[in-house]
Amino acid sequence: MKRLLLALCVLTGCQKENAPGEKATPPATALEAAAIQAGVIPDPNSTDITGLYVREADRVCVVPSATGYRIGVTVDYDDREHCGATGVVTRSGETLHVAFDTSRGGGCSFDARFDGDRIVFPGRLPAGCQALCTEHAAISGLALDRLSESASEASTLRGPRGTLLCGDDVHP
């Protein structure tokens, strides 16, 4: 009977119960912590966000400024459909607080996620963010991987109209 119970427990994935007051550690968190400690993945809390992030024709630049960081984004579907914006970004752990300048009302501020080598914009953004884009282009849901950690390389990113998005002459 004991063998049958042990076999059923193994087959159904029985788990150790936590003692009262003891918090369960999700396996992914423990695995991620071990990978960070081993140096397999970067620690997003101690990794500088400066750099150039890319996915296909989508680009984001982040460079240090006197008050934090400047950020620029460009999305290029074609000659008629594109996005381009500059703004500021501040950081709190893995959360990036992004505020893009908009020429029309509404504003475009949101929280993005940073995991050490990747920036992910939320799928839903404030309505004012659409003012940064033409036609059907959008910046929502962008997921970009770091291409470079170089501030000088990131500062050369140009928008749809050829303007520098993170260069020294940008004052968001």
Side-chain angles (χ1 to χ4, degrees), residues 52 61 147-157:
L52 181 62
C61 57
L147 178 67
S148 170
E149 295 179 7
S150 167
S152 60
E153 188 171 353
S155 67
T156 64
L157 182 64

Side-chain angles (χ1 to χ4, degrees), residues 62-168:
V62 179
V63 297
S65 73
T67 59
Y69 292 90
R70 288 189 312 266
I71 186 169
V73 63
T74 181
V75 173
D76 188 11
Y77 292 176
D78 59 34
D79 290 341
R80 291 185 354 208
E81 297 183 272
H82 51 80
C83 304
T86 61
V88 294
V89 60
T90 57
R91 178 179 180 183
S92 176
E94 295 181 30
T95 302
L96 301 179
H97 306 289
V98 178
F100 285 118
D101 300 328
T102 57
S103 57
R104 295 177 234 159
C108 181
S109 297
F110 57 88
D111 288 343
R113 194 175 76 244
F114 175 69
D115 75 359
D117 277 327
R118 185 180 180 111
I119 293 177
V120 180
F121 287 12
R124 293 187 141 208
L125 295 176
C129 294
Q130 194 54 41
L132 306 172
C133 303
T134 61
E135 301 285 330
H136 301 290
I139 62 169
S140 59
L142 289 181
L144 307 120
D145 297 310
R146 189 190 315 247
L147 178 67
S148 170
E149 295 179 7
S150 167
S152 60
E153 188 171 353
S155 67
T156 64
L157 182 64
R158 295 189 179 272
R161 295 186 181 105
T163 57
L164 289 173
L165 297 177
C166 286
D168 289 335

